[in-house]
Amino acid sequence: LWAKTKIGKGQVAALFNGVRQRHLCGVKTANISWSDYRISCEKDLDLDIQTDHILITNYSATLGHKTCHSFEPNSCFSQFWHPRFGLIMSIVAKRDIQPDEEIFVSYNYLIPQAPDWYKEQWFSHLREELDWSEQEICSWA
């Protein structure tokens, strides 16, 4: 997702809505399969983009699902009350974002449950961006 105009710090850059998936506390539900587009909205509510809605030619009511991951993001997820959709998620700028700049968020996956690409990026980030030694990484993991 790319900024078309300047987005000021604290300004909403995009919205994220999708199919609502509720989780009842204390009730065991069927194992929900992995989705690259599922996001937690509340403790008991996830939003997910259906497979046939991933392309913006099929779904463009909200575009937050097009935001890529970074461990040094310029934006973050935040709850948003939408007058039509109700409680959804938004992408909010953590700093000013310039026109034609890509918008990034941290997906905040837990490493044990994260997909392989995320784990690879995480350990690369520790080594290359944070200059962690192999000993530091092993003691953390």
Side-chain angles (χ1 to χ4, degrees), residues 34-134:
W34 177 263
S35 169
D36 289 333
Y37 296 94
R38 183 179 300 115
I39 183 173
S40 179
C41 187
E42 285 189 301
K43 180 181 174 184
D44 64 344
L45 175 65
D46 291 348
L47 301 174
D48 197 5
I49 303 296
Q50 295 177 327
T51 304
D52 57 334
H53 289 159
I54 293 170
L55 298 176
I56 61 172
T57 54
N58 295 337
Y59 176 77
S60 60
T62 62
L63 294 176
H65 66 287
K66 292 299 183 183
T67 310
C68 289
H69 165 77
S70 173
F71 290 111
E72 296 180 8
N74 54 16
S75 301
C76 61
F77 292 111
S78 182
Q79 289 182 330
F80 184 92
W81 184 261
H82 190 279
R84 179 175 179 204
F85 302 132
L87 185 63
I88 63 173
M89 295 301 287
S90 65
I91 312 296
V92 176
K94 292 170 60 175
R95 61 166 175 78
D96 289 349
I97 298 173
Q98 301 305 312
D100 299 320
E101 184 178 351
E102 188 166 5
I103 300 168
F104 290 103
V105 293
S106 175
Y107 290 174
N108 293 318
Y109 291 143
L110 297 174
I111 295 299
Q113 288 87 27
D116 289 340
W117 69 263
Y118 186 91
K119 292 176 187 177
E120 290 169 14
Q121 282 190 8
W122 171 244
F123 289 111
S124 177
H125 174 74
L126 293 178
R127 289 181 183 101
E128 297 169 18
E129 303 300 322
L130 301 182
D131 291 324
W132 280 28
S133 68
E134 292 305 313

